[in-house]
Amino acid sequence: MKKSIKIATLFFAAAISITVVSCQKDNETTEENVVAKSANNESKELLNRIYAFQELRDNINAGEKSNGSMSLQEMRDNIDLTFNFEHSQHATPFANATLDTFYVAMPALDANGNVTEADAIATYKAFETNLEKLMASVDDDMNLAKNFSIKLPEVGAKSGNDIEVVFTLGTRDVVPYPSSGPFVKGDDYYWGRMLGRCDHDSTVRITDAAAELTKKFQSLDDGFYLISNVEYAGYKPYDDNDQFLSKYTYYEDTTLTCGHKWLFCYSGDDEPCITYDELNCYYDNLNRNVVSANGALHWGPKTGYPYHECLIEDHEIYLAKRSVKLFTAYITYINKFLITNE
């Protein structure tokens, strides 16, 4: 799974030869050009940081001694950048996307709260080992991973002293992209559980309404870019008083123009079919609340970075007298740096 520095560097060189964002014309300095150059300088600085960490790793793995150290935050940021650079397939739209998690033990800290360079590299290796073991255990073709969110344990937290790594797991979609745009007549799907289309065609029971909505909100960015500080945040359209969906934040849209909820929510025991016009209602609501820069859910609640893509999940919760079927939205927020040739 590991990319070599040489391969990554060659890929980078190929990418920057074809990706251009400069707004300069006849050597004229414009506001857009200044912004483009500033962003490109930052991306180059981050690449240099990645290359330096890779060189440190190769030297230590080759047996060289190191007496250096780095702060815990510096270690976290180096691993964040390098691990997403080497292992995240973030430019690939996924099918059957879902979230997964693994944990890595925290390294020892010295009296100043720093980590030795050797321990930082050992921690990075533990990241790779955990991911390799997890991917090797997958037996349903979920063989792609992307958008690694790396969270250090909070001081005094009861949840443990491990580093938490959340990421998106999935397969490469065989349906030609782009899948963006509204649903059309005939795009009628059962709500979830991979029950397929509502026409009861058993040969296409490999999808459902939640999966089809997810396809509409997979990133379709062209070019080569770096990512860092991935944040995942989940939202639900039904207030269950955190009994069943406690990891999701309840959000109520008071500006609805269609539907009684901004995402699918249904009370009953049957398997509802969501027609194409109802799916378009949720599609429009997601575009307004999440994709739009003015949307209430467009910016990461902790990092403040913008929306990148969205995973729609289906759930059924059982109450005293009825069940409730609903969708939740798991939104990916990232800090993204496009690599250019300027």
Side-chain angles (χ1 to χ4, degrees):
M1 298 178 62
K2 179 178 173 183
K3 301 174 186 174
S4 70
I5 300 177
K6 183 179 292 185
I7 292 176
T9 305
L10 288 174
F11 178 56
F12 164 66
I16 64 174
S17 68
I18 60 174
T19 308
V20 182
V21 297
S22 174
C23 299
Q24 187 172 7
K25 181 179 180 181
D26 298 328
N27 296 320
E28 179 184 358
T29 300
T30 64
E31 181 179 355
E32 292 84 357
N33 188 41
V34 171
V35 171
K37 285 187 175 181
S38 175
N40 192 44
N41 287 337
E42 189 169 6
S43 66
K44 287 179 179 178
E45 290 177 5
L46 293 176
L47 272 175
N48 288 335
R49 186 170 182 174
I50 291 170
Y51 295 153
F53 191 74
Q54 289 175 324
E55 183 178 9
L56 174 66
R57 175 189 61 193
D58 292 345
N59 291 340
I60 290 178
N61 289 342
E64 293 187 16
K65 300 296 183 181
S66 171
N67 297 320
S69 64
M70 63 184 72
S71 70
L72 182 60
Q73 187 63 44
E74 185 180 4
M75 181 201 74
R76 183 258 169 217
D77 292 345
N78 284 334
I79 291 177
D80 176 34
L81 281 167
T82 309
F83 201 76
N84 275 297
F85 179 72
E86 292 188 334
H87 297 286
S88 174
Q89 305 293 319
H90 48 262
T92 302
F94 283 13
N96 304 324
T98 187
L99 294 185
D100 211 331
T101 306
F102 64 84
Y103 296 88
V104 176
M106 278 280 290
L109 305 180
D110 64 18
N112 297 318
N114 294 329
V115 181
T116 67
E117 290 181 342
D119 282 350
I121 297 305
T123 302
Y124 187 86
K125 178 60 179 177
F127 270 67
E128 292 186 315
T129 300
N130 275 274
L131 180 61
E132 288 170 0
K133 288 182 178 179
L134 190 150
M135 300 301 284
S137 67
V138 171
D139 57 4
D140 55 1
D141 294 327
M142 304 284 276
N143 57 359
L144 297 176
K146 65 178 176 179
N147 300 335
F148 295 93
S149 172
I150 299 173
K151 182 181 179 182
L152 296 176
E154 297 178 3
V155 177
K158 297 180 180 180
S159 56
N161 193 40
D162 290 336
I163 302 170
E164 180 185 67
V165 185
V166 181
F167 64 101
T168 302
L169 185 69
T171 61
R172 187 184 300 274
D173 202 320
V174 297
V175 177
Y177 274 81
S179 290
S180 58
F183 293 92
V184 298
K185 187 174 182 179
D187 288 338
D188 307 325
Y189 296 91
Y190 284 109
W191 71 282
R193 294 178 178 169
M194 291 296 170
L195 293 176
R197 292 183 179 271
C198 302
D199 57 10
H200 301 285
D201 184 351
S202 61
T203 63
V204 292
R205 292 201 170 187
I206 56 175
T207 189
D208 55 36
E212 293 302 313
L213 263 176
T214 295
K215 290 180 182 180
K216 302 291 185 181
F217 296 97
Q218 285 283 288
S219 172
L220 299 174
D221 286 329
D222 293 327
F224 179 60
Y225 55 95
L226 305 176
I227 66 171
S228 68
N229 294 310
V230 177
E231 178 183 6
Y232 289 100
Y235 300 94
K236 58 187 177 183
Y238 177 77
D239 189 2
D240 64 336
N241 296 316
D242 290 337
Q243 289 181 302
F244 306 97
L245 301 172
S246 59
K247 66 179 181 178
Y248 300 90
T249 299
Y250 172 64
Y251 173 68
E252 181 179 3
D253 185 352
T254 59
T255 63
L256 287 176
T257 58
C258 63
H260 71 289
K261 298 283 187 180
W262 68 285
L263 278 180
F264 169 75
C265 186
Y266 174 86
S267 178
D269 295 325
D270 55 344
E271 301 291 353
C273 170
I274 304 182
T275 61
Y276 78 95
D277 53 347
E278 184 180 355
L279 277 172
N280 278 330
C281 174
Y282 305 135
Y283 172 78
D284 291 339
N285 291 339
L286 284 162
N287 274 304
R288 187 180 69 258
N289 288 315
V290 179
V291 180
S292 169
N294 296 321
L297 307 179
H298 180 80
W299 304 96
K302 294 182 178 180
T303 62
Y305 291 125
Y307 156 84
H308 179 64
E309 59 184 17
C310 185
L311 167 63
I312 307 300
E313 299 176 316
D314 57 281
H315 301 268
E316 183 171 17
I317 57 179
Y318 295 93
L319 306 178
K321 296 182 179 180
R322 69 186 191 282
S323 70
V324 176
K325 299 176 176 66
L326 72 153
F327 288 166
T328 57
Y330 238 119
I331 303 172
T332 307
Y333 304 95
I334 66 170
N335 193 19
K336 180 170 65 176
F337 302 90
L338 186 66
I339 305 301
T340 76
N341 67 344
E342 287 301 304

